[in-house]
Amino acid sequence: TNEIYTLSLHDALPISYGEGVDFSKVRALFPSRQENRKTFTDWFCDYKKFREIDGKTSPYTIKTINTTINRVKAFDKFRNKKSYIEKINLLWSNALNEWMAYTKKYRPPTIDRSYQIINGCLNYFWDYRDEFPLSMTDKFKSRRFKHGSKKPNESIALTRQQREIIYNHKFEQKYLEKARKMISLQMYVGCRYGRSEEHTSELQSH
């Protein structure tokens, strides 16, 4: 290790001291320095790429992730300070929530959705923190980290014709086809998809 370090440092130094030092090479030897660290939005973009290629994430979710990334970038610009994943804690969360709620005037459901995406990103990198490595805190797991609130679901009544169109339509995209089947089951059975297993035996008897 010392030999590699010495050779690398030698490459960064001039032959004669009068030529000056190539600081672009010297900085590479010290990745922990703040100017060389990836920002939180850099890691966030990596997370978006992972979700884009996993084959399970809908375009809508990808769009929401991108919106949240831009939101964090705007927050950093507003306070003239970069966010680093190692420094994501309750104080950072409180500051972000204050900016979204009072400066941007976002509604509670919008804030809630932003935190869902942020937590998804942080959970992903928390699982890989030893591999990268990352010196993260687990403060994002606290119930005090997340802000906002979900919008109550509104009941929407469909006509018979609308139900038949949904039931008979076939989507090429797997995630849309899965959603269509879930909605169809809920429409004709009259219960949430998540509770359908509770009624399986009852449905089979009919």
Side-chain angles (χ1 to χ4, degrees):
T1 303
N2 290 335
E3 181 180 356
I4 294 175
Y5 174 81
T6 303
L7 291 173
S8 299
L9 185 59
H10 175 75
D11 292 338
L13 295 174
I15 296 176
S16 64
Y17 292 106
E19 295 179 5
V21 178
D22 187 346
F23 287 101
S24 64
K25 293 182 178 180
V26 172
R27 289 192 185 99
L29 303 176
F30 304 95
S32 61
R33 287 182 60 85
Q34 182 162 307
E35 62 266 28
N36 296 315
R37 285 159 51 199
K38 293 172 67 171
T39 65
F40 178 43
T41 53
D42 291 333
W43 290 109
F44 221 147
C45 289
D46 290 345
Y47 172 69
K48 185 184 76 168
K49 292 177 183 177
F50 162 74
R51 296 296 299 270
E52 286 174 335
I53 64 176
D54 69 356
K56 302 176 183 178
T57 306
S58 70
Y60 171 77
T61 300
I62 296 299
K63 182 179 180 181
T64 305
I65 292 174
N66 195 61
T67 298
T68 308
I69 292 173
N70 290 332
R71 201 161 282 160
V72 174
K73 287 181 178 179
F75 168 63
D76 285 353
K77 184 177 181 180
F78 170 78
R79 62 182 188 149
N80 194 30
K81 182 180 181 181
K82 293 180 180 179
S83 296
Y84 291 94
I85 197 169
E86 299 89 347
K87 300 295 184 181
I88 301 298
N89 53 31
L90 297 181
L91 293 178
W92 181 90
S93 176
N94 290 341
L96 175 65
N97 176 60
E98 182 177 349
W99 175 76
M100 288 194 290
Y102 299 105
T103 302
K104 302 301 292 184
K105 308 295 184 183
Y106 291 144
R107 299 182 61 192
T110 301
I111 296 174
D112 175 78
R113 183 58 175 159
S114 296
Y115 275 98
Q116 286 183 38
I117 299 297
I118 290 171
N119 274 39
C121 173
L122 292 173
N123 269 303
Y124 174 78
F125 286 112
W126 177 259
D127 290 341
Y128 286 95
R129 66 189 183 280
D130 294 330
E131 284 78 5
F132 278 106
L134 287 170
S135 300
M136 297 175 62
T137 73
D138 61 352
K139 293 297 185 180
F140 68 93
K141 295 177 178 288
S142 169
R143 62 181 179 83
R144 298 181 184 278
F145 183 86
K146 198 168 180 288
H147 296 274
S149 59
K150 296 182 182 297
K151 182 180 180 181
N153 293 328
E154 298 178 2
S155 299
I156 301 176
L158 300 178
T159 65
R160 181 176 181 179
Q161 182 181 14
Q162 289 172 330
R163 293 198 304 269
E164 290 178 351
I165 290 174
I166 294 174
Y167 181 81
N168 294 316
H169 186 82
K170 303 295 181 182
F171 291 99
E172 294 182 1
Q173 298 93 329
K174 291 183 179 180
Y175 73 93
L176 290 178
E177 183 61 15
K178 180 180 179 180
R180 183 192 68 80
K181 291 179 179 179
M182 292 171 60
I183 293 172
S184 296
L185 179 63
Q186 293 177 127
M187 288 190 304
Y188 287 98
V189 175
C191 71
R192 289 182 176 276
Y193 181 81
R195 297 187 60 188
S196 60
E197 292 183 0
E198 301 176 14
H199 304 279
T200 299
S201 58
E202 181 180 348
L203 291 172
Q204 289 176 344
S205 65
H206 290 77

